[in-house]
Amino acid sequence: MAVRHRVVVIGSGFGGLFATRRLRRAPVDVTLIDRANHHLFQPLLYQVATGILSDGEIAPPSREILRRAPNVRVELANVTHIDLDARTVIGDQLGRKLVASYDSLIVATGSSHSYFGHDEFERWAPAMKTLDNARELRARLFGAFEVAEFETDVAARRSWMTFAVIGGGPTGVEVAGQIEELSRRSLRRNFRSIDPASARVVLCEAGPAILPTFGKRLSEMATRELERKGIDVLVNSAVVGVDASGVDLRSSDGKTTRIECMTKVWAAGVEASPLAGLLAEASGAEVDRHGRVHVLPDCTLEGHPEVFVIGDAMALGDLPGVAEVAIQQGLFAARTIRRRLRGRAESKPFRYIDLGSLAVVSRFRAVASIGPIRVGGFIGWLAWLVVHLTFLTGFKNRVAAVAHWAVSFVGRSRSERALTVDEIRPESKLADPGSH
Amino acid sequence: MAVRHRVVVIGSGFGGLFATRRLRRAPVDVTLIDRANHHLFQPLLYQVATGILSDGEIAPPSREILRRAPNVRVELANVTHIDLDARTVIGDQLGRKLVASYDSLIVATGSSHSYFGHDEFERWAPAMKTLDNARELRARLFGAFEVAEFETDVAARRSWMTFAVIGGGPTGVEVAGQIEELSRRSLRRNFRSIDPASARVVLCEAGPAILPTFGKRLSEMATRELERKGIDVLVNSAVVGVDASGVDLRSSDGKTTRIECMTKVWAAGVEASPLAGLLAEASGAEVDRHGRVHVLPDCTLEGHPEVFVIGDAMALGDLPGVAEVAIQQGLFAARTIRRRLRGRAESKPFRYIDLGSLAVVSRFRAVASIGPIRVGGFIGWLAWLVVHLTFLTGFKNRVAAVAHWAVSFVGRSRSERALTVDEIRPESKLADPGSH
């Protein structure tokens, strides 16, 4: 029996998953490796963090998505090494060693959050990248109101009811909007000592404007809308310190201010996964300041036409780090592999079709930048809805998730508010800060 | 201003929650204290553990349920002490001290699992009492199939695909049925090296029959139905050992056997919460062998007519430890307090109206024992459905939960299957047992 062409895909995010799906009828054997058992619909992760959706609604198991692709094997493993010469991927599977040989490799390991050299911030300001992050943030958010309810010291209570979101990109804007929303609507009548609606939400952005990639008009529209809702939008405010009880900001003119707040969310920076750096070292390719490895115009690693690096792990021209780039590159890599197997080895460059960017500012209001079209308000929100509905297609839970989500948008309910005993035990970040 | 009668309720389970709701229009101030922020619809906890429902669907926040009861204050605290003389409850609120004085006290702290003196079993066989338990069991269940997929040793793989459920009561029967269901239906086509349908599910019961409280006919019917589905029902099989890789059983004739299995679920014993013991010590009342404190026929503590102990925390006649007793006693305690406030101090005994017991054996099949009526099969399942729908009334998510649940019953999907990176890191129980 002839050995079929072996493709290894690392990462079941947008890039890896779309590449794998596109290879399911090709004459290849695919191994998809990821540290978790699920794809993550990251654009809605903030809805898990704020109690709207459940884990499963945005994290369908990769095996389930690929169950009708008999040529695909899913491996749960943490890839630790790629041997470019031996064309082998080495991973750790819960203490056991995984060795996967490839003829073609697609590295789609994405990015994690970056604290710009201040990893000590992470303890107090969790990021928004994984389900674990979202669960932790959810516990902190709902827990903060619980503590404020019994806290008798006025200043401390104020600090538990102040929420700082660090980073004015789409994730930061969406998280800030949802925290404000839950304080003003979802927790209504729930408390006796505090009025959740009096919570203060601060959105801190180091640059001169939030949502800079959306252009001046939409950025200003989003700022107005957030401010109308009562969110403090602080631009030119770089976070220079994060500790148990607050954040320190430095404005562009060098002045520093402090915001006392127990709950912080980090939505500021991203950094490519360490595998991008390993690949760069092994191949001699450059990495950019976000740790992304530079690839050739056909998304392959210099000197290694059999290795594709796609999505947030790679740097190519001025491609942004968004899901849409990862998806298109995943499809492109799969197409290139299929073409080569048909004997057409000429290299074609990847061309990105910009379908635009979207961010939800508040209920029924979003900003959308789609090619030359830039819309805000309700029309922007409709655009956001259509794009996400389209994206969710192919997800097993799309009907349930969309229904759930529609109900949450229209109504005031947050159904995922349970704090477990483990989440509120004294070691948690909800304990008296004096005890740390 | 006259100080109103103060009622403190400890525990937001069925007993505490129903008592509190019944007091919402009474001329009293109620403080409801619980360690978690939610009520737990425990009869469906096994559906969270097996990936059918999400946390939020069975754990609505107590504050949300009671938002229209302005005389009720919810406190998140772990009660550590009850001073019967000073009529004061002392608790810990994340490191801060809670002191709540009462005129009437309702202790509804329920029960936790009991390992019959073998607490070392807990590490390997988590129980099914809290959301944390359910999350852990879910990670172990779905994780076991993940490990089996890459495990190359035949015996080890077999062991990862063997699931022991310890305890043949309703919870054990339901968990065993659902594990079998997910292996045979929900994971279909998901794996390449293993056939999930070949998983072995063993239900171990120390006594001579499963579901003994349902009577001989239903017990036999349930046994037949479980065996027809392929579950090994081992009666007269007491668990005498639990370790990383298996369980040791001793039959009634003294013979011991071992089952090699990596995943164990403890559904065998319950024990009243430690507060029941503290109350007994302070009042001189007796406790039974499950740690439940004996109460007078009106559910009050001897010598303390102002202290009610209800549900799984108390022993009274031969009342079973089921939700229905807790609910009826909660309503009874609230009624008694209201009657006393109207000046009618005479003591009435609590009378339990037995609405029956139910257990789901498989899809569309349940056994129901309702008064003199004992039905099984599809009719039993319909009875189970009606009772649970009725129970769920008053829950914010009932429509979503029931819809979700109906879809899961009819279809094959399990939407809550996400394993996070934290859940599958090497320290988890999924790691190579040799590494422990």
Side-chain angles (χ1 to χ4, degrees):
Chain A
M1 200 180 86
V3 174
R4 299 220 292 182
H5 188 88
R6 295 159 302 175
V7 181
V8 169
V9 180
I10 311 176
S12 62
F14 284 107
L17 189 64
F18 274 75
T20 304
R21 277 168 61 126
R22 180 57 64 96
L23 289 169
R24 71 173 183 266
R25 289 201 192 85
V28 297
D29 286 327
V30 184
T31 303
L32 173 63
I33 308 174
D34 196 279
R35 291 185 302 164
N37 75 333
H38 54 81
H39 171 69
L40 185 64
F41 194 83
Q42 228 169 22
L44 292 180
L45 190 61
Y46 77 97
Q47 298 206 358
V48 172
T50 54
I52 297 173
L53 297 178
S54 73
D55 293 6
E57 285 171 317
I58 64 158
S62 309
R63 300 188 180 287
E64 182 66 21
I65 300 173
L66 297 161
R67 72 189 184 287
R68 290 183 195 285
N71 65 329
V72 176
R73 215 189 136 81
V74 176
E75 294 281 357
L76 191 70
N78 189 15
V79 172
T80 50
H81 184 66
I82 298 172
D83 187 332
L84 293 173
D85 297 325
R87 297 194 176 179
T88 302
V89 171
I90 312 292
D92 174 79
Q93 291 193 301
L94 289 156
R96 299 158 191 83
K97 189 177 178 185
L98 168 76
V99 179
S101 296
Y102 61 83
D103 299 305
S104 295
L105 175 66
I106 300 177
V107 179
T109 47
S111 57
S112 61
H113 46 272
S114 162
Y115 288 87
F116 307 127
H118 288 283
D119 288 350
E120 72 276 15
F121 291 179
E122 181 166 18
R123 179 170 179 207
W124 307 113
M128 280 285 295
K129 273 290 185 182
T130 66
L131 267 189
D132 290 313
N133 293 153
R135 285 186 188 174
E136 178 171 1
L137 183 56
R138 183 174 65 191
R140 290 194 192 199
L141 279 179
F142 289 106
F145 288 98
E146 293 291 336
V147 178
E149 171 80 347
F150 62 67
E151 179 62 70
T152 48
D153 179 78
V154 176
R157 177 183 284 184
R158 196 68 228 145
S159 172
W160 279 109
M161 290 187 66
T162 305
F163 300 85
V165 179
I166 301 155
T171 299
V173 166
E174 290 174 332
V175 170
Q178 283 303 326
I179 296 174
E180 203 279 337
E181 194 81 16
L182 80 87
S183 70
R184 200 164 43 89
R185 292 170 50 85
S186 309
L187 301 180
R188 198 184 287 169
R189 289 173 184 266
N190 272 227
F191 294 88
R192 302 295 175 253
S193 301
I194 59 166
D195 175 11
S198 70
R200 182 182 176 211
V201 181
V202 185
L203 180 62
C204 313
E205 164 60 42
I210 60 166
L211 300 176
T213 59
F214 287 72
K216 191 154 181 283
R217 196 174 68 86
L218 289 189
S219 171
E220 283 171 0
M221 186 187 271
T223 304
R224 270 199 310 278
E225 177 62 22
L226 291 173
E227 287 178 343
R228 193 187 61 77
K229 290 176 67 176
I231 295 170
D232 283 351
V233 180
L234 304 181
V235 294
N236 292 316
S237 300
V239 170
V240 292
V242 178
D243 54 44
S245 62
V247 295
D248 296 305
L249 304 175
R250 187 165 53 214
S251 66
S252 40
D253 59 7
K255 267 203 304 205
T256 61
T257 45
R258 180 171 171 83
I259 298 171
E260 298 292 335
C261 54
M262 296 303 294
T263 312
K264 282 82 68 175
V265 187
W266 190 264
V270 293
E271 188 170 54
S273 88
L275 273 187
L278 289 182
L279 274 182
E281 240 172 72
S283 70
E286 303 271 298
V287 291
D288 74 358
R289 64 194 177 92
H290 299 297
R292 301 181 298 192
V293 57
H294 279 281
V295 293
L296 299 178
D298 64 352
C299 299
T300 62
L301 201 59
E302 185 156 6
H304 290 278
E306 77 284 7
V307 179
F308 297 83
V309 190
I310 63 176
D312 285 2
M314 64 85 228
L316 175 59
D318 54 359
L319 285 177
V322 297
E324 194 52 37
V325 167
I327 290 172
Q328 293 183 26
Q329 287 185 330
L331 298 173
F332 172 84
R335 249 191 339 258
T336 305
I337 291 170
R338 297 176 71 152
R339 223 181 39 236
R340 287 178 185 166
L341 288 175
R342 290 196 304 268
R344 296 167 55 194
E346 82 284 6
S347 163
K348 281 191 184 180
F350 169 71
R351 284 193 205 294
Y352 177 51
I353 302 161
D354 188 355
L355 297 178
S357 20
L358 299 142
V360 173
V361 179
S362 68
R363 281 201 333 147
F364 310 124
R365 278 162 198 274
V367 292
S369 160
I370 302 167
I373 306 161
R374 295 181 171 226
V375 287
F378 186 66
I379 302 295
W381 185 77
L382 277 183
W384 178 84
L385 194 67
V386 168
V387 168
H388 281 77
L389 288 181
T390 313
F391 262 125
L392 276 171
T393 305
F395 278 70
K396 200 133 183 59
N397 301 321
R398 63 187 180 276
V399 178
V402 170
H404 197 159
W405 185 40
V407 168
S408 300
F409 258 105
V410 176
R412 48 179 281 287
S413 95
R414 300 279 168 133
S415 48
E416 298 294 334
R417 281 173 52 187
L419 293 173
T420 70
V421 174
D422 279 359
E423 284 171 338
I424 52 193
R425 63 193 161 184
E427 309 88 270
S428 78
K429 300 293 185 299
L430 298 175
D432 187 353
S435 69
H436 287 293
Chain B
M1 203 180 82
V3 174
R4 300 220 291 183
H5 188 88
R6 294 159 304 175
V7 182
V8 168
V9 180
I10 311 177
S12 62
F14 284 108
L17 190 63
F18 274 75
T20 304
R21 277 169 60 126
R22 181 55 66 94
L23 289 169
R24 71 173 184 267
R25 289 201 191 83
V28 298
D29 286 325
V30 184
T31 302
L32 174 63
I33 307 175
D34 197 279
R35 290 185 302 163
N37 75 334
H38 54 81
H39 171 69
L40 186 65
F41 194 82
Q42 227 168 22
L44 292 180
L45 190 61
Y46 77 96
Q47 297 206 359
V48 172
T50 53
I52 298 173
L53 296 179
S54 72
D55 293 5
E57 283 171 318
I58 65 157
S62 309
R63 300 188 179 288
E64 182 67 20
I65 300 172
L66 297 161
R67 71 189 185 287
R68 292 182 195 286
N71 65 329
V72 176
R73 216 188 136 80
V74 176
E75 295 281 358
L76 191 70
N78 189 15
V79 171
T80 51
H81 184 68
I82 299 172
D83 186 333
L84 292 172
D85 298 324
R87 299 194 175 179
T88 302
V89 171
I90 312 290
D92 174 78
Q93 292 193 298
L94 289 155
R96 299 159 191 83
K97 188 177 179 185
L98 169 75
V99 179
S101 296
Y102 62 83
D103 299 305
S104 295
L105 175 66
I106 301 177
V107 179
T109 47
S111 57
S112 61
H113 46 271
S114 162
Y115 288 87
F116 307 126
H118 288 283
D119 289 349
E120 72 276 15
F121 291 179
E122 182 166 18
R123 178 171 180 206
W124 307 113
M128 280 285 295
K129 273 291 186 183
T130 66
L131 268 189
D132 290 312
N133 293 153
R135 285 187 189 173
E136 177 169 1
L137 182 57
R138 183 174 65 191
R140 290 195 193 198
L141 279 179
F142 290 106
F145 288 98
E146 292 291 335
V147 177
E149 171 80 348
F150 61 68
E151 180 61 68
T152 48
D153 180 79
V154 175
R157 176 182 284 184
R158 196 68 228 144
S159 172
W160 279 109
M161 290 189 67
T162 305
F163 299 85
V165 179
I166 301 153
T171 300
V173 167
E174 290 174 333
V175 170
Q178 283 303 325
I179 296 173
E180 202 279 338
E181 194 81 16
L182 81 87
S183 70
R184 200 166 40 90
R185 294 169 48 85
S186 309
L187 300 180
R188 197 184 289 167
R189 289 173 184 267
N190 272 227
F191 294 88
R192 302 294 175 253
S193 302
I194 59 166
D195 174 11
S198 70
R200 181 181 176 212
V201 181
V202 185
L203 179 63
C204 312
E205 164 60 40
I210 60 166
L211 301 176
T213 59
F214 287 72
K216 190 156 182 281
R217 198 175 66 87
L218 290 188
S219 171
E220 283 171 359
M221 187 188 272
T223 304
R224 268 199 311 278
E225 177 62 22
L226 291 173
E227 287 177 343
R228 194 188 58 79
K229 291 177 68 178
I231 295 170
D232 283 352
V233 181
L234 304 182
V235 293
N236 293 315
S237 299
V239 170
V240 292
V242 178
D243 53 44
S245 62
V247 295
D248 296 305
L249 304 174
R250 186 165 53 213
S251 67
S252 40
D253 58 7
K255 264 203 307 208
T256 61
T257 46
R258 181 172 171 83
I259 298 172
E260 297 293 334
C261 55
M262 296 302 294
T263 312
K264 283 79 68 176
V265 187
W266 190 263
V270 294
E271 188 169 54
S273 87
L275 273 188
L278 288 182
L279 274 182
E281 240 172 73
S283 69
E286 303 271 298
V287 291
D288 74 358
R289 65 193 177 91
H290 298 297
R292 300 180 299 190
V293 56
H294 279 282
V295 293
L296 299 177
D298 65 351
C299 299
T300 63
L301 202 58
E302 185 157 4
H304 289 279
E306 76 283 6
V307 178
F308 298 84
V309 189
I310 64 175
D312 284 2
M314 64 86 227
L316 175 59
D318 55 359
L319 286 177
V322 298
E324 195 52 37
V325 167
I327 290 172
Q328 293 183 26
Q329 288 185 329
L331 298 173
F332 171 85
R335 247 188 343 255
T336 305
I337 290 170
R338 297 175 70 150
R339 222 179 42 235
R340 288 179 184 165
L341 288 175
R342 290 196 302 269
R344 297 167 55 195
E346 82 284 6
S347 162
K348 282 190 183 181
F350 169 71
R351 284 195 204 292
Y352 177 52
I353 301 161
D354 188 355
L355 297 178
S357 22
L358 300 142
V360 174
V361 180
S362 67
R363 284 202 328 150
F364 310 124
R365 279 162 196 275
V367 291
S369 161
I370 302 167
I373 307 161
R374 296 180 171 229
V375 288
F378 186 65
I379 301 295
W381 185 78
L382 277 184
W384 178 84
L385 194 67
V386 167
V387 168
H388 282 76
L389 289 181
T390 313
F391 263 125
L392 277 171
T393 305
F395 277 70
K396 196 127 187 59
N397 301 321
R398 63 186 179 278
V399 178
V402 170
H404 197 159
W405 186 41
V407 168
S408 300
F409 257 108
V410 177
R412 49 179 281 288
S413 95
R414 300 281 166 131
S415 49
E416 300 294 333
R417 282 173 51 186
L419 294 173
T420 70
V421 174
D422 279 0
E423 283 171 339
I424 50 191
R425 62 191 162 186
E427 309 89 88
S428 78
K429 300 294 185 300
L430 297 175
D432 186 355
S435 70
H436 286 291

